[in-house]
Amino acid sequence: MKNTTNKIVLIGAGAVGTSFLYSAINQGLAERYGIIDINEVNSRGQKLDLEDARPALPRDFEVESGNYELVSDADLIIITAGRPQKPGETRLNMVADNARIMKQIALQVKSHGFKGVTIIASNPVDIMTTVYQKITGFEPKKVISSSCTLDTLRLKLELSKIFNVAPTEFGVFVMGEHGDSSVSTFAHGTLKGIPLSKFFAKHSITQDQINEIHERVWKKAYEIIDCKHATFYGIGASLTDISMSILRDEKRVFATGSLLNGEYDMYGTYAGIPCVIGKEGIVETYEFPLSEQELAKFKKSVNTLKENTLLALKAIK
Ligand code: NAD
C-alpha cells in the first residue's frame, strides 16, 4: 500500500537547498524529507540540525540524509545542486560545470525508479532543466524549472513599493530566461484586473522609469551576490510556494519554466511562462498577452536559452 504521507527529497544541501528545507518545515509542507549531497558529511549535518527544530514546530516531520535510494518513494524532488554564481559572473557562465553535475544527478534519479515531480533551481536553471528532462526522459510536465518565479516575486515587490499595494495584487510576470535577457510583462499587466498603464499614468511614471523597474528586478541577484556572495532566502520561499501548489494540488499560476511546445511559436527548450501547477506538475501553460516589443524580447531570450542549451548538451556528450 502506498504511504499517504508526502515525501520531498532535496538534492544539493547548500544555501539554496537548506533555505528551501527550512522554509518548508516551518510551513508544514510535508511529513518526510530526504537530503542528498555529494558531500555526505554536509547532508548528515543538515539532517541533524533540521531535526532539532521538530519539537519546536506545530507539524512534526521526519528527515533523513543518505544516497539516491531516498528518491524511490518520493513525491517531489528539489534539485539545488551546483556551484554558486561568483561575483561578476552571469548565470550562463556556469553552463558546462553545472550540466555535468546535472547529468550525474539525472542518471541516478532515473535509475532509482523515481515517479514523481521534479523542480530544478540549479543555474542556469532553464538550461539545466532541459538537460535533466532529456537525460531522464521523464514527461516534460513532471519536470519543472523554477525559472522566473523568483524574478516575478521581485517584480511584484518593486511594484508594491511604488504603488503601496500588497505584492499579491499584481497580475504580472517575468518571462523567458531566469537571467539577464528576461522580460517583464508591463504592457498587459494589471493591478487586480485594472491595466497597470492606468496606474503608471496616474503616478506620472515615464517609460524610462518603467524600464528601470525591470532593470532593478533582473539586477537584484547581482546586487545581493555583491553584498553577501549568494542569494537563497527568496528562492527558498519561492520553491516552497511552488511545492505547496503541487503537494496540495492547488493549481496556482507561476512563471515556472515549461518545455516550450508551440507557445509563442517557440519549441524545444525550457523557458519561463505562466504555468498552472498541480499534483501532476505542469497542468497547463498560458500565453500571457505581450506587446510587440515584449514578444520580440521574449523570443530573443528563448533563442539565447536555446544556444546555451546546445553548449550544455555538447559539454555532457
Ligand atoms: P552552494 O554551493 O551553497 O550549494 C550547492 C550544493 O550542491 C553543495 O552543498 C554541494 O556539495 C552540492 N553538490 C555539488 N555537486 C553535487 C552533486 N553532483 N550531487 C549532489 N550535490 C552536489 O550553492 P547555492 O548558493 O545553494 O546555489 C545552488 C544553485 O542554485 C546554484 O546553481 C545557484 O546559481 C542556484 N540558484 C538559483 C536561483 C534561482 O532562482 N533559480 C537562485 C539562487 C541560486
Side-chain angles (χ1 to χ4, degrees), residues 102-306:
M102 195 53 66
K103 181 181 179 183
Q104 289 167 7
I105 293 171
L107 291 171
Q108 289 282 0
V109 168
K110 189 173 170 61
S111 69
H112 284 81
F114 175 64
K115 298 274 181 288
V117 175
T118 308
I119 306 175
I120 295 171
S122 312
N123 273 319
V125 64
D126 296 297
I127 297 166
M128 292 308 114
T129 309
T130 308
V131 167
Y132 177 90
Q133 193 279 326
K134 280 200 183 308
I135 302 272
T136 57
F138 290 162
E139 277 181 276
K141 69 172 187 176
K142 290 196 159 191
V143 177
I144 303 173
S145 157
S146 65
S147 195
C148 297
T149 50
L150 174 59
D151 317 58
T152 298
L153 297 181
R154 286 176 178 153
L155 175 60
K156 290 181 177 184
L157 192 62
E158 281 295 321
L159 292 172
S160 84
K161 288 177 188 169
I162 295 168
F163 297 126
N164 196 25
V165 175
T168 47
E169 304 305 291
F170 293 94
V172 285
F173 293 98
V174 176
M175 289 173 41
E177 178 201 359
H178 161 59
D180 304 5
S181 68
S182 64
V183 189
S184 289
T185 65
F186 293 118
H188 296 277
T190 64
L191 197 176
K192 220 55 188 181
I194 304 161
L196 263 187
S197 52
K198 287 200 192 279
F199 292 90
F200 286 135
K202 189 174 163 199
H203 289 256
S204 309
I205 293 174
T206 62
Q207 188 55 49
D208 280 350
Q209 288 170 317
I210 295 172
N211 296 343
E212 279 165 22
I213 298 171
H214 176 65
E215 197 171 315
R216 281 202 293 282
V217 167
W218 75 261
K219 285 190 170 165
K220 192 165 184 182
Y222 294 106
E223 194 182 344
I224 301 171
I225 290 168
D226 281 347
C227 294
K228 54 175 269 190
H229 309 296
T231 80
F232 37 89
Y233 296 132
I235 181 65
S238 180
L239 290 168
T240 306
D241 210 19
I242 307 167
S243 304
M244 186 99 70
S245 197
I246 293 169
L247 295 180
R248 300 186 186 166
D249 199 21
E250 291 174 334
K251 301 196 176 79
R252 285 189 284 134
V253 180
F254 297 86
T256 44
S258 175
L259 184 59
L260 296 181
N261 187 25
E263 293 90 343
Y264 303 97
D265 276 330
M266 305 300 278
Y267 294 85
T269 188
Y270 273 81
I273 55 169
C275 299
V276 181
I277 302 292
K279 77 172 185 313
E280 295 300 321
I282 299 171
V283 179
E284 202 174 345
T285 59
Y286 290 130
E287 288 189 19
F288 193 83
L290 302 174
S291 68
E292 219 173 283
Q293 232 182 351
E294 288 170 352
L295 180 63
K297 209 175 157 202
F298 174 77
K299 289 193 170 189
K300 197 168 169 213
S301 180
V302 173
N303 283 329
T304 303
L305 286 170
K306 271 190 173 171

Side-chain angles (χ1 to χ4, degrees), residues 14-16 37-38 42 80-84 101 104 121 123 146 178 231 235:
V16 173
D37 196 286
I38 198 159
N42 172 46
T80 60
R83 66 169 179 81
I101 292 175
Q104 289 167 7
N123 273 319
S146 65
H178 161 59
T231 80
I235 181 65

